[in-house]
Amino acid sequence: MSNGARLLQIAARLQARAQPPLPPELVPLRIAGVRVGMSQPMVAHFLAQTEGFRLKNRELVMVDFGLDADGRTERLAQATRALRDAQLLTGWRNELLSVHAAPGGPVLAAIERAACRPLGIATTAVHLNAYSDDGDVVVARRAAHKQIDPGCWDNLVGGMVPHGETLEQALEREAWEEAGIGLDRIEVHRGRAFSLMRPVPEGLQHETIHVYDATLAANMEPKNQDGEVDAIETRPVADVVDAIERDEFTLESALVMIESLTRRWGIATTRGLYLYT
C-alpha cells in the first residue's frame, strides 16, 4: 500500500470515530435564541428545574430575555455551580471558554470549561505539529494524572482557546507552557481546521481544532513547563504513523498529524473532514 493510500485509510477510520451518529436522546440547548449545544438528558432535566432554564419543544432554553453577554455568563455560572454541587459535572477548571452563536461568530457568553461537554457546547482548540530539521516529528506524552487520555501521545503543543484569547494568543501560550518554546523564534505555518462531534464519557465533545506546523532549529530543546507532559521525543514520521494506527495517540492529535502529512504531501482527503481556513 502506498503512503498516500495508507494515510487516506487512516483518515477515514479516524473520521468515523470523530464524527459518528449522535445519540438521539441528546437535548438541544438554546442561548439567546440560538442552538449552541446538545445536553445530556440528566443535565437538561436538572437545569430545567432551576430558575434560569426551562424545557420547551424538547429543547433546553436559557431564560435570558433582556440579558447581555455578561448577564448570560452570570446565569451560566450559577447553573454550572449547581451542576457541580449535584455532581453532574467533574473536573472543575476555573477556566472560562466562549459560547459562540456559530464558529467564529459573536460571543454570546462565557462558561466554565468543565461544563462544555455535559452541555455539548462547541469549543475551539489549537495544535502545533513540530518537525525537526531532518523531518522527524517531535511528540509529547500526556501526563499520567491527566483526566482525559492519560499516557497517550500528543502533538508537541495543543490546548483549548480560552474566553478572551485569539487563536494565535492561545497557541503562543500553549507553546510556552507545554514545550518552553517562544513562537517568535520559529516560523509557524497555519494548516486546516477540522471538527469533532462525538459522545464521550463526560457528554458530547464538539470541538473545532486549528492545525499549525513549525520546524524547530537543531539547538532548540523543548521542555515542558506546566507538568502536564511526561515525556518529549523526536520520532521518524513512519514510527508516528505506525503508533497512530495502534491508537497510541489521542484522536485529536492523530487527526492533527494526518492533516499535516496529507497537506504537506499534496494528498486530497475525505470530504467533510478537513476544512480550509
Side-chain angles (χ1 to χ4, degrees):
M1 181 183 298
S2 68
N3 285 335
R6 185 185 182 196
L7 290 181
L8 289 177
Q9 186 178 75
I10 294 171
R13 182 173 65 86
L14 295 175
Q15 182 176 13
R17 292 174 55 199
Q19 301 169 347
L22 298 182
E25 66 270 16
L26 293 177
V27 180
L29 167 65
R30 284 191 181 272
I31 295 176
V34 179
R35 183 179 291 190
V36 299
M38 296 288 284
S39 172
Q40 293 290 292
M42 186 178 298
V43 170
H45 288 287
F46 175 86
L47 288 180
Q49 306 305 311
T50 67
E51 183 179 352
F53 293 83
R54 62 181 178 176
L55 284 172
K56 181 180 179 181
N57 299 327
R58 299 183 180 179
E59 294 186 327
L60 178 66
V61 179
M62 176 188 277
V63 182
D64 57 5
F65 179 76
L67 295 182
D68 60 8
D70 289 340
R72 296 186 200 103
T73 296
E74 177 54 33
R75 182 147 294 177
L76 285 172
Q78 296 169 359
T80 54
R81 288 194 295 265
L83 289 169
R84 178 192 61 190
D85 295 344
Q87 299 184 338
L88 290 174
L89 61 82
T90 58
W92 193 270
R93 301 291 294 265
N94 281 322
E95 179 182 349
L96 292 179
L97 302 184
S98 298
V99 180
H100 291 274
V107 177
L108 301 177
I111 188 171
E112 157 63 32
R113 174 173 170 173
C116 288
R117 291 187 177 186
L119 291 170
I121 290 175
T123 57
T124 305
V126 288
H127 279 240
L128 177 72
N129 291 300
Y131 293 88
S132 67
D133 276 337
D134 57 6
D136 290 339
V137 187
V138 186
V139 293
R141 187 175 65 215
R142 297 167 67 84
H145 63 75
K146 295 279 284 184
Q147 181 183 3
I148 298 173
D149 296 326
C152 289
W153 287 93
D154 258 333
N155 320 106
L156 181 60
V157 173
M160 295 281 194
V161 179
H163 179 62
E165 283 191 1
T166 65
L167 297 177
E168 291 73 20
Q169 289 169 337
L171 187 67
E172 184 174 12
R173 177 183 47 76
E174 292 286 348
W176 176 255
E177 292 176 354
E178 298 196 349
I181 292 174
L183 294 189
D184 58 341
R185 299 177 56 199
I186 57 178
E187 185 175 354
V188 177
H189 300 277
R190 187 170 179 178
R192 293 168 287 179
F194 63 92
S195 293
L196 298 92
M197 187 181 289
R198 59 169 183 151
V200 292
E202 304 83 19
L204 181 70
Q205 181 186 14
H206 182 191
E207 186 161 293
T208 298
I209 297 177
H210 297 265
V211 183
Y212 296 81
D213 291 348
T215 298
L216 306 185
N219 62 351
M220 295 185 73
E221 184 177 350
K223 185 175 181 180
N224 180 246
Q225 306 294 311
D226 61 7
E228 296 193 356
V229 170
D230 276 348
I232 295 175
E233 294 183 0
T234 301
R235 301 163 68 176
V237 168
D239 287 0
V240 170
V241 174
D242 288 344
I244 288 172
E245 283 197 308
R246 295 192 297 267
D247 292 330
E248 295 174 6
F249 277 72
T250 66
L251 176 60
E252 297 93 321
S253 294
L255 283 162
V256 167
M257 191 73 246
I258 297 300
E259 189 284 324
S260 178
L261 294 177
T262 53
R263 171 169 41 86
R264 290 160 72 99
W265 295 350
I267 300 169
T269 48
T270 307
R271 178 177 297 179
L273 179 55
Y274 296 119
L275 309 173
Y276 284 94
T277 56

